[in-house]
Amino acid sequence: MNAETIPAGQLACLLYDAAEGICADVAAVMLIDRHGHFLHDPAFRRIIAAGSSITTGQPLAVIRWTAAIHALDAGQLPCSGSERAILRIAASLADPGIAVNLRDNLGNLDARNIALVTDAITAANG
């Protein structure tokens, strides 16, 4: 299975399935999904690992968050300032090893994106 060829809606479902049961992971996927940019971006899709569950055989997909931030920092994920902020905030929700400077990132967001981040933070806390 290749994340680059899966329709965005189906890919989102696979990401949610893999994150199920971990509120922060679901919140990160929710932020990426609802933002509307990343699941349509071929460069971002290359960072998503897609395959089958070893226990159930069902298809699933996961975002490799560290790889996403590395690609972002290396200029391999062309993004606007707000897109960069959304990705950094989502990654910090999903991976406790990824820190985010909220002061720097929240200043790049319009009202819609602030609402998306607020919803994600609320979801991350159950």
Side-chain angles (χ1 to χ4, degrees), residues 2-124:
N2 182 340
E4 294 177 63
T5 61
I6 300 170
Q10 182 181 355
L11 183 57
C13 289
L14 295 174
L15 291 167
Y16 281 113
D17 287 349
E20 185 178 344
I22 304 172
C23 293
D25 289 355
V26 171
V29 170
M30 181 178 79
L31 182 55
I32 291 298
D33 178 33
R34 291 183 180 174
H35 180 264
H37 169 74
F38 294 100
L39 296 184
H40 300 280
D41 179 4
F44 185 77
R45 284 170 162 261
R46 286 191 287 277
I47 294 168
I48 298 173
S52 299
S53 167
I54 58 172
T55 56
T56 66
Q58 294 296 315
L60 61 94
V62 294
I63 298 168
R64 296 179 305 129
W65 295 106
T66 302
I69 295 302
H70 176 75
L72 185 66
D73 291 343
Q76 297 168 340
L77 283 177
C79 293
S80 69
S82 65
E83 291 164 351
R84 292 175 68 82
I86 291 292
L87 180 54
R88 288 186 185 285
I89 293 166
S92 74
L93 287 169
D95 186 331
I98 298 175
V100 65
N101 183 321
L102 290 176
R103 181 179 178 155
D104 290 345
N105 287 285
L106 293 177
N108 286 318
L109 302 179
D110 60 14
R112 175 188 177 270
N113 286 316
I114 288 290
L116 292 174
V117 169
T118 302
D119 290 348
I121 290 169
T122 302

